[in-house]
Amino acid sequence: MRTVSAVMMVLIAGGALWAGGFVFALFVWLIGLGLLWEFGGLVARITSNWGERAFWMAGGVVYIGAACFGLLLCPPELRWLVILVVIATDTGAYFAGRKFGGAKIAPAISPSKTWAGLYGGMVYAMLVMLAAFVKSKSTVLGGPDAITQVFRDFPLTLAMMMLAGAVLAVLAQTGDFFESWMKRRAGVKDSGTLIPGHGGLFDRLDGLLPVAIAAGLFAWTTIL
């Protein structure tokens, strides 16, 4: 069931990304509403004070809304890159954490998260950013030595791309920790039950939210 759910998520999200335009915008806002619903469910368990709930929900609207706007501001290529970076971060963190183990980052919040996992996620994200830039530039340059030329002519840009990948990986892990902290306070294992074998939308997209906000700010200030 977990595998089937994962395949369905990839097909639906990939189809929306490929379609773009109104279809993608509708998909993003529907997911945003689902995230806000689960966020509200956690808040209801965290506090019974209506003033505190209102404060939490206002923050949730800003947080989730900014991520949705961020994705919509990004051009298609940047959207794919954002998603690949988050996937790479999760993958690198999983394998490095399983392989090396070691000291926990914040065991009271997320007992499974290790420093080795964080570094592994950073390395994977850096490689994705590096590969994306090399592919983009070598396509423009053309010729059999295009890749070599990219490494020779753009060393500073390559270093900046890798640094950006590391920063985005940290942001993704921060989003993961934030959701884990909320679940700890709420006393639940998952944010919801919408996705069989995976929990809720918030469980799957916690790392994407801060990365999408960062990408949206980048698109707004430099591309648009």
Side-chain angles (χ1 to χ4, degrees):
M1 181 60 69
R2 183 178 176 85
T3 302
V4 171
S5 297
V7 171
M8 292 300 297
M9 283 190 292
V10 169
L11 289 175
I12 294 171
L17 276 165
W18 177 79
F22 173 77
V23 173
F24 180 71
L26 179 62
F27 174 75
V28 167
W29 288 118
L30 287 175
I31 294 297
L33 289 174
L35 286 167
L36 194 59
W37 176 265
E38 292 181 359
F39 188 93
L42 293 177
V43 170
R45 289 176 172 271
I46 290 173
T47 178
S48 59
N49 183 287
W50 286 102
E52 292 178 356
R53 285 186 180 183
F55 180 79
W56 271 95
M57 290 308 298
V61 169
V62 172
Y63 182 48
I64 295 169
C68 292
F69 274 116
L71 275 180
L72 294 176
L73 283 173
C74 293
E77 296 82 3
L78 185 55
R79 290 174 192 160
W80 283 104
L81 183 58
V82 164
I83 292 170
L84 288 175
V85 165
V86 174
I87 292 173
T89 299
D90 290 342
T91 304
Y94 174 79
F95 284 112
R98 290 287 299 272
K99 175 68 175 179
F100 301 107
K104 310 292 184 181
I105 299 176
I109 298 175
S110 185
S112 63
K113 297 290 190 301
T114 64
W115 287 104
L118 173 61
Y119 298 145
M122 292 170 69
V123 169
Y124 272 49
M126 290 165 68
L127 291 175
V128 166
M129 293 292 284
L130 177 66
F133 180 77
V134 171
K135 181 180 184 302
S136 174
K137 278 295 181 183
S138 61
T139 300
V140 173
L141 293 171
D145 299 324
I147 294 178
T148 303
Q149 186 178 348
V150 172
F151 280 94
R152 184 180 66 244
D153 295 345
F154 302 97
L156 180 59
T157 306
L158 289 170
M160 293 299 294
M161 291 294 287
M162 294 181 71
L163 177 60
V167 171
L168 291 177
V170 172
L171 284 177
Q173 291 286 292
T174 301
D176 194 327
F177 271 109
F178 174 63
E179 196 237 1
S180 295
W181 175 70
M182 286 190 68
K183 289 191 296 185
R184 283 279 176 175
R185 292 197 61 182
V188 296
K189 179 179 180 294
D190 298 318
S191 65
T193 57
L194 181 64
I195 309 171
H198 292 267
L201 291 170
F202 203 11
D203 295 310
R204 297 278 60 84
L205 301 175
D206 49 5
L208 178 62
L209 296 177
V211 177
I213 293 171
L217 287 172
F218 173 77
W220 183 45
T221 57
T222 63
I223 298 176
L224 300 179

